[in-house]
Amino acid sequence: SAVISQKPSRDICQRGTSLTIQCQVDSQVTMMFWYRQQPGQSLTLIATANQGSEATYESGFVIDKFPISRPNLTFSTLTVSNMSPEDSSIYLCSVVPGVGGNQETQYFGPGTRLLVL
Amino acid sequence: DAKTTQPTSMDCAEGRAANLPCNHSTISGNEYVYWYRQIHSQGPQYIIHGLKNNETNEMASLIITEDRKSSTLILPHATLRDTAVYYCIVRPRGTYKYIFGTGTRLKVLA
């Protein structure tokens, strides 16, 4: 499976500020996704990060709040904009491997733990 | 909404088999069943998946009923490190969208 890293691993931020989370993969992947896991809850898909084009957002998530970039096949960023305490969550990226990998399965990064004060 | 239902929690004695059930009564013919687990709020770890046939790998076995409306994940010899939340997910073939349910919190007891 692909090796996925996320930066930062955790952060504490003030309300009204923005944080950009990075997801780096050690090999080219076909698809990348961003999820949110609120405290005590399950995972919710935010968007699909499309390489070279705008991300595809799920219902309830908008680009102005969660802008996403994916400049190449191994890297993506998620920005949490104008943060409020309700944005305190774990943010996770996931990938579907490219050629040579298990292309039927998503693999998840370690997550970024965000606390907004 | 998630297309699966799972018990909220289960206990299992260390060294015994852990059998985790999942109901997916509305599953359609082109949908896979996936199992992941999440330990201490780390990223979910892939365990196994299947379509119709039973599957086995180094981590677990997946038993899917003939009508495909339910499945069971079997950890043959549970250890304390298997304590985690286990998620059963149904994924349509041709998409990669996962809809996570609430999962089963498995506690392995010494």
Side-chain angles (χ1 to χ4, degrees), chain A residues 10-72:
Chain A
R10 60 179 66 238
D11 207 341
I12 301 174
C13 300
Q14 298 297 317
R15 69 174 68 204
T17 63
S18 299
L19 176 72
T20 295
I21 302 167
Q22 299 179 2
C23 179
Q24 179 73 56
V25 193
D26 69 341
S27 58
Q28 294 186 345
V29 297
T30 57
M31 302 190 77
M32 297 182 80
F33 304 90
W34 286 98
Y35 288 80
R36 179 176 74 180
Q37 186 172 28
Q38 295 176 298
Q41 303 296 311
S42 186
L43 283 76
T44 300
L45 179 63
I46 297 172
T48 303
N50 299 310
Q51 195 261 329
S53 64
E54 193 171 286
T56 304
Y57 290 85
E58 297 300 306
S59 175
F61 298 96
V62 295
I63 187 171
D64 290 347
K65 177 66 176 176
F66 297 102
I68 289 170
S69 77
R70 189 181 171 194
N72 56 51

Side-chain angles (χ1 to χ4, degrees), chain B residues 40-57:
Chain B
H40 289 311
S41 295
Q42 299 173 16
Q45 177 189 22
Y46 166 74
I47 302 173
I48 199 168
H49 75 281
L51 184 62
K52 296 181 185 177
N53 301 321
N54 299 336
E55 303 288 344
T56 295
N57 63 20

Side-chain angles (χ1 to χ4, degrees), chain B residues 15-18 59-61 74-78:
Chain B
R16 304 296 294 268
M59 290 183 67
S61 295
I74 301 173
L75 308 178
H77 305 287

Side-chain angles (χ1 to χ4, degrees), chain A residues 42, chain B residues 1-10 19-27 33-35 68-73 85-90 99-105:
Chain A
S42 186
Chain B
D1 290 343
K3 297 181 68 173
T4 61
T5 55
Q6 300 175 251
T8 302
S9 64
M10 294 179 62
N19 296 283
L20 292 92
C22 179
N23 180 287
H24 31 80
S25 58
T26 61
I27 194 170
V33 178
Y34 281 75
W35 284 84
R68 302 186 69 241
K69 293 185 177 183
S70 65
S71 61
T72 301
L73 179 74
V85 178
Y86 287 76
Y87 294 101
C88 169
I89 301 165
V90 167
I99 300 176
F100 281 79
T102 54
T104 295
R105 186 172 298 276

Side-chain angles (χ1 to χ4, degrees), chain A residues 31 37 42 103-104 106 113, chain B residues 34 36 38 41 49 96 101:
Chain A
M31 302 190 77
Q37 186 172 28
S42 186
Q103 295 183 288
E104 292 186 341
Q106 284 186 41
R113 286 150 188 77
Chain B
Y34 281 75
Y36 284 77
Q38 189 174 27
S41 295
H49 75 281
Y96 289 96

